[in-house]
């Protein structure tokens, strides 16, 4: 089936990170059902990370308005909620966007590794739930291959700094002798591990906590830090000089009251870095005296500065993408003719098998060797006649010649719209 690929996205480029939450899909299964049912898409892959919410679709009857409407209705948003936040790419532009994503070129921290595994995860989920099909599966497989090539040949990931190390750098720049301070990390997930690795690399000791003590213990053993009970950590902010928070709690873990009370019995200041999106530190905390607070948006600004110093690696990565894009385009175009090629081969083979059976019956042939020779003869004739036109059809499609596809569909009475 001939389908067009579209990508609709809300990302940190056009929307502050704390606003992205409005556009995320809480129930992925029902989001998939809605897009497939209401927006004219036959295939769909949803990619959600802390920096982006993206819908990749393939369809023959979709339009941007339908996608927007469906997205708004899933999230209970006003239809004008998207304003300039929503970016749309179609066809080749959508392919290019996915290649940049897998290469890490569209990431907040250019070259970061997580996005590639997040994309692999998204297509695996879509494949398993059968919301993606031949078009998006092929596109994602190719893009993942290109992303790996970029990372293996340009060293883009090696030179990149993580959001965790930027956060630690911010703490270092704002606090004298960070090593001697009491540091607490709340969170034991992926983002927390980026902070922990960076602290460990600098030889800085810290406490780590999350709701389940076992998880904190395992984190301390496998990543770094000294585990501490969650409630005791939350009740003892007065002992903390630097607090990193990276959790997905749906409420403020670090409340105004808790910090205010802690600061009353504390002489020195406290620095709080909230990497969470949505925030898990109440913004009002920043108004308390001697508190220095940074949230993910501010950390992201630092990341942006870092990117400007890495232009060389970026341009090598872009060169690879420019080389690979026509290959991906050709593969995707060829995909459009594969159903008809398969269909024609199948129809002709059905005739061949039927006629072969008839002929063998009429001949009353029982010699297996002779039957095998006759069968091979029929196969060779079919392939000899049909292979060249079908290969020409594939080539024409790769070169964007849709006229031949129309003619072949007409000749073989094949409906390309499926
Ligand atoms: N991953 C990244 O690269 C990245 C980058 C920038 C920002 N972020 C942001 O960082 C935050 C964490 O992301 P992640 O990727 O690390 O997630 P994750 O791997 O799923 O980890 C989530 C963490 O949150 C804790 N948690 C979950 N529910 C909680 C609750 N109700 N109260 C307290 N803690 C809770 C979990 O530990 P327990 O269940 O044991 O409490 C775990 O430590 C998110 O807000 C994300 O947007 C992530």
């Amino acid at each position: 089936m001939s389908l067009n690929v579209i990508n609709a996205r809300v990302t940190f480029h056009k929307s502050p990170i704390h606003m992205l939450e409005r556009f995320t899909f809480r129930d992925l299964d029902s989001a998939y059902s809605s897009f497939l049912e209401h927006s004219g898409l036959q295939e769909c892959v949803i990619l959600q990370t802390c920096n982006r919410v993206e819908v990749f679709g393939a369809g023959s009857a979709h339009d941007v308005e339908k996608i927007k409407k469906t997205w708004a209705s899933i999230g209970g948003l006003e239809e004008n909620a998207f304003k300039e936040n929503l970016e749309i790419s179609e066809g080749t532009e959508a392919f290019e966007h996915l290649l940049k994503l897998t290469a890490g070129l569209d990431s907040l921290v250019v070259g970061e590794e997580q996005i590639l595994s997040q994309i692999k995860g998204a297509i695996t989920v879509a494949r398993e739930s059968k919301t993606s099909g031949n078009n998006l599966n092929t596109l994602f497989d190719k893009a993942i291959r290109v992303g790996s090539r970029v990372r293996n040949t340009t060293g883009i990931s090696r030179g990149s700094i993580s959001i965790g190390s930027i956060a630690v750098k911010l703490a270092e720049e704002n606090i004298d002798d960070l090593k001697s301070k009491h540091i607490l990390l709340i969170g034991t997930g992926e983002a927390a591990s980026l902070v922990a690795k960076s602290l460990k690399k600098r030889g800085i000791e810290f406490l780590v906590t999350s709701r389940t003590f076992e998880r904190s213990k395992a984190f301390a053993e496998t990543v770094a830090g000294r585990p501490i009970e969650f409630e005791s950590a939350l009740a003892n902010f007065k002992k903390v000089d630097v607090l990193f928070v990276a959790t997905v709690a749906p409420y403020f873990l670090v409340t105004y009251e808790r910090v205010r009370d802690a600061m009353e019995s504390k002489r020195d200041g406290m620095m709080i870095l909230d990497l969470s999106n949505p925030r898990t530190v109440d913004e009002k905390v920043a108004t308390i005296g001697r508190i220095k607070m940074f949230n993910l948006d501010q950390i992201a600004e630092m990341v942006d500065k870092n990117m400007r110093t890495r232009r060389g690696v970026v341009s090598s990565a872009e060169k690879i993408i420019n080389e690979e894009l026509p290959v991906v385009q050709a593969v995707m175009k060829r995909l459009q003719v594969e159903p008809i090629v398969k269909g024609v081969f199948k129809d002709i083979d059905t005739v061949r098998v039927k006629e072969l059976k008839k002929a063998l019956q009429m001949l009353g042939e029982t010699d297996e060797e002779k039957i095998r020779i006759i069968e091979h003869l029929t196969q060779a004739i079919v392939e000899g006649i049909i292979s060249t036109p079908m290969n020409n059809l594939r080539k024409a499609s790769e070169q964007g010649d849709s006229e031949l596809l129309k003619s072949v569909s007409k000749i073989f009475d094949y409906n390309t719209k499926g």
Side-chain angles (χ1 to χ4, degrees), residues 17 49-51 108 112 114-115 118 163-164 186-194 209-213 215-216 219 230 234 245-251 253 274-280 296:
I17 292 173
T49 76
C50 43
N51 300 327
L108 190 59
E112 54 107 353
Q114 291 98 313
I115 188 68
Q118 285 160 337
I163 202 101
I186 306 182
T188 46
E190 207 174 329
S193 78
L194 298 174
T209 194
S210 76
R211 287 174 307 175
T212 33
F213 186 66
R215 192 168 167 169
S216 312
F219 183 92
F230 192 59
L234 291 189
V245 189
T247 78
V248 294
Y251 48 83
L253 262 182
D274 186 9
L275 281 82
S276 320
N277 174 38
R279 293 171 190 188
T280 50
L296 191 57

Side-chain angles (χ1 to χ4, degrees), residues 8-274:
R9 60 188 183 274
V10 182
T11 76
F12 71 95
H13 290 297
K14 298 264 174 176
S15 174
I17 292 173
H18 67 274
M19 296 284 287
L20 285 178
E21 190 219 355
R22 296 182 65 206
F23 301 97
T24 56
F25 304 111
R26 310 246 169 265
D27 181 346
L28 261 190
D29 287 344
S30 91
Y32 271 122
S33 309
S34 300
F35 278 115
L36 293 173
E37 221 170 287
H38 305 298
S39 55
L41 295 173
Q42 277 104 311
E43 297 182 28
C44 183
V45 177
I46 294 174
L47 172 70
Q48 297 196 121
T49 76
C50 43
N51 300 327
R52 60 186 70 249
V53 186
E54 305 214 7
V55 178
F56 282 87
S60 49
H62 64 273
D63 68 49
V64 175
E65 284 314 308
K66 277 194 212 165
I67 291 174
K68 238 164 133 173
K69 219 171 167 173
T70 310
W71 194 331
S73 87
I74 299 168
L77 303 166
E78 307 265 304
E79 268 191 44
N80 65 2
F82 290 100
K83 297 196 179 102
E84 288 90 41
N85 289 350
L86 188 72
E87 292 176 85
I88 301 284
S89 302
E90 293 190 63
T92 305
E93 257 188 41
F95 306 159
E96 187 177 7
H97 172 65
L98 186 57
L99 297 194
K100 285 189 170 165
L101 269 182
T102 56
L105 283 182
D106 200 65
S107 294
L108 190 59
V109 176
V110 169
E112 54 107 353
E113 297 273 14
Q114 291 98 313
I115 188 68
L116 190 55
S117 44
Q118 285 160 337
I119 290 170
K120 285 179 187 167
I123 188 64
T124 304
V125 168
R127 255 195 179 108
E128 281 169 4
S129 55
K130 298 202 167 34
T131 59
S132 60
N134 212 7
N135 290 265
L136 292 184
N137 290 343
T138 306
L139 177 63
F140 272 71
D141 287 347
K142 296 283 162 212
I144 288 167
R145 188 185 51 73
V146 174
S148 305
R149 183 184 159 199
V150 168
R151 285 156 199 278
N152 292 336
T153 54
T154 63
I156 196 166
S157 306
R158 273 201 304 280
S160 86
I161 49 167
S162 76
I163 202 101
S165 60
I166 293 270
V168 173
K169 203 161 167 250
L170 257 174
E172 258 180 340
E173 283 172 5
N174 283 276
I175 299 224
D176 287 338
D177 193 15
L178 189 60
K179 259 189 185 166
S180 67
K181 303 295 177 196
H182 290 102
I183 300 173
L184 172 65
L185 169 63
I186 306 182
T188 46
E190 207 174 329
S193 78
L194 298 174
V195 174
K197 281 179 195 159
S198 179
L199 288 168
K200 186 181 172 187
K201 210 166 132 194
R202 289 165 162 85
I204 299 173
E205 290 184 2
F206 62 96
L207 295 171
V208 60
T209 194
S210 76
R211 287 174 307 175
T212 33
F213 186 66
E214 284 311 309
R215 192 168 167 169
S216 312
K217 232 173 105 192
F219 183 92
E221 279 159 16
T222 54
V223 189
R226 196 150 51 83
I228 175 175
E229 293 281 356
F230 192 59
E231 286 312 323
S232 146
L234 291 189
N236 276 298
F237 283 162
K238 59 177 182 289
K239 293 185 184 155
V240 175
D241 301 313
V242 183
L243 175 63
F244 293 96
V245 189
T247 78
V248 294
Y251 48 83
F252 291 140
L253 262 182
V254 180
T255 59
Y256 174 81
E257 292 71 23
R258 222 186 259 275
V259 180
R260 185 199 55 201
D261 294 350
M263 293 310 286
E264 275 169 11
S265 49
K266 189 169 167 31
R267 276 186 41 228
D268 302 328
M270 193 198 306
M271 181 172 181
I272 303 177
L273 298 107
D274 186 9

